[in-house]
Amino acid sequence: MDLMCSPNGARAIITINTSRPPFDDARVRAALSLAIDRETIAEKILRAGEQPAYSLVPPGIADYPGTARFPYAGQPLDQRVAEAKRLLAEAGFGPENPLSFKFNYIADPDSRRVAVALGQMWQAIGVSADLVLSEKKVHYNTVRVRDYEVAESNWFADYNDAKNFLFLAQPSSGAMNTSAYANMEYENLISQADATADAAARAALLTKAEQLMLDEHPLVPLYFGVNRALIGTHVEGWVDNIVNVHRTR
């Protein structure tokens, strides 16, 4: 038997309600993202092959270069923490006026561990997060109606295409746009991509849109999931794929 592990179409994110002050300020959203040690979450807390995420679209998506990244990807954590504190100070927060908010998360073991870790990471930049636990159905209803400030969210691709991730930040996506991100430049880039038949030109438009969204932090990716499958050595025709669909035919 061989154990097969590879990236899949699942990813965990933090969604930030951009319609609620102070989270309508991109500096505040960026500060929360900068403070997160994704390597620690993936490699020391979850420890099941998850990959730190610095983009919304996971690696391996068809006809997509995957070059969009958070501006600070690869930067040492101490530098990111210092930048987060600077941005918070610019936005009016600091020791005399600390930022505090509620962080909604799901009542399962992994989410609990990640939420506690996030709370500690945000403490390092002088931010206090009140951890609010809910059963999954209640949690997602709360997020869907945008009755939250900052919250855990997850998404698994329905099909192998970058649009299946990027539409989550489109203003025209209605309730699926749980962050209430309202950037019409982003909307127009996605619309242009939808009307473009050339695969390379379409990918370039989607990449530009993803980079725009990453720069403004309405959605904060944490980690990408992985497929894990135990395959008999006698099995032929097995082709791993990002959506983890393997038809017997």
Side-chain angles (χ1 to χ4, degrees):
M1 304 287 282
D2 293 326
L3 177 63
M4 308 287 288
C5 294
S6 63
N8 65 16
R11 60 100 178 90
I13 66 169
I14 293 170
T15 182
I16 301 177
N17 191 344
T18 63
S19 67
R20 288 196 180 187
F23 303 107
D24 55 344
D25 189 329
R27 295 171 298 184
V28 174
R29 302 193 300 266
L32 297 185
S33 182
L34 280 158
I36 298 170
D37 184 348
R38 291 163 175 80
E39 284 71 24
T40 290
I41 290 174
E43 298 165 10
K44 296 183 180 179
I45 295 174
L46 298 172
R47 299 185 299 174
E50 292 84 357
Q51 299 180 4
Y54 290 91
S55 62
L56 183 65
V57 181
I61 290 292
D63 299 317
Y64 194 68
T67 53
R69 289 286 184 276
F70 277 132
Y72 57 78
Q75 193 176 67
L77 183 61
D78 58 344
Q79 293 181 21
R80 297 193 341 233
V81 166
E83 176 65 5
K85 290 179 178 178
R86 187 190 69 80
L87 289 172
L88 286 174
E90 272 191 9
F93 296 99
E96 303 302 318
N97 182 36
L99 173 64
S100 62
F101 60 88
K102 290 183 179 180
F103 177 67
N104 295 74
Y105 70 102
I106 300 167
D108 68 47
D110 283 349
S111 294
R112 289 172 188 261
R113 293 198 299 272
V114 171
V116 170
L118 288 171
Q120 294 172 346
M121 292 169 188
W122 287 326
Q123 281 181 357
I125 60 170
V127 171
S128 175
D130 179 16
L131 305 182
V132 181
L133 178 148
S134 300
E135 182 271 330
K136 184 178 290 187
K137 184 176 181 180
V138 173
H139 173 84
Y140 279 116
N141 184 63
T142 298
V143 172
R144 190 177 302 110
V145 299
R146 300 174 183 161
D147 185 21
Y148 76 98
E149 294 176 298
V150 182
E152 173 189 5
S153 186
N154 299 280
W155 182 254
F156 193 96
D158 299 301
Y159 54 92
N160 186 357
D161 189 85
K163 172 70 181 293
N164 195 226
F165 296 90
L166 298 176
F167 90 100
L168 294 170
Q170 275 186 265
S172 62
S173 290
M176 294 301 291
N177 176 14
T178 55
S179 68
Y181 187 52
N183 189 318
M184 291 310 297
E185 182 182 356
Y186 182 87
E187 176 74 39
N188 291 335
L189 286 168
I190 300 292
S191 297
Q192 290 175 47
D194 289 344
T196 301
D198 180 82
R202 178 177 182 269
L205 288 166
L206 292 176
T207 299
K208 186 176 181 180
E210 182 180 9
Q211 188 62 60
L212 174 63
M213 186 276 299
L214 292 172
D215 290 345
E216 297 195 335
H217 300 86
L219 301 176
V220 178
L222 294 178
Y223 60 87
F224 298 124
V226 290
N227 296 326
R228 291 180 291 275
L230 196 61
I231 310 301
T233 55
H234 65 286
V235 174
E236 298 179 355
W238 175 273
V239 179
D240 202 8
N241 62 87
I242 200 163
V243 293
N244 201 27
V245 173
H246 306 280
R247 295 184 171 85
T248 55
R249 67 172 180 266

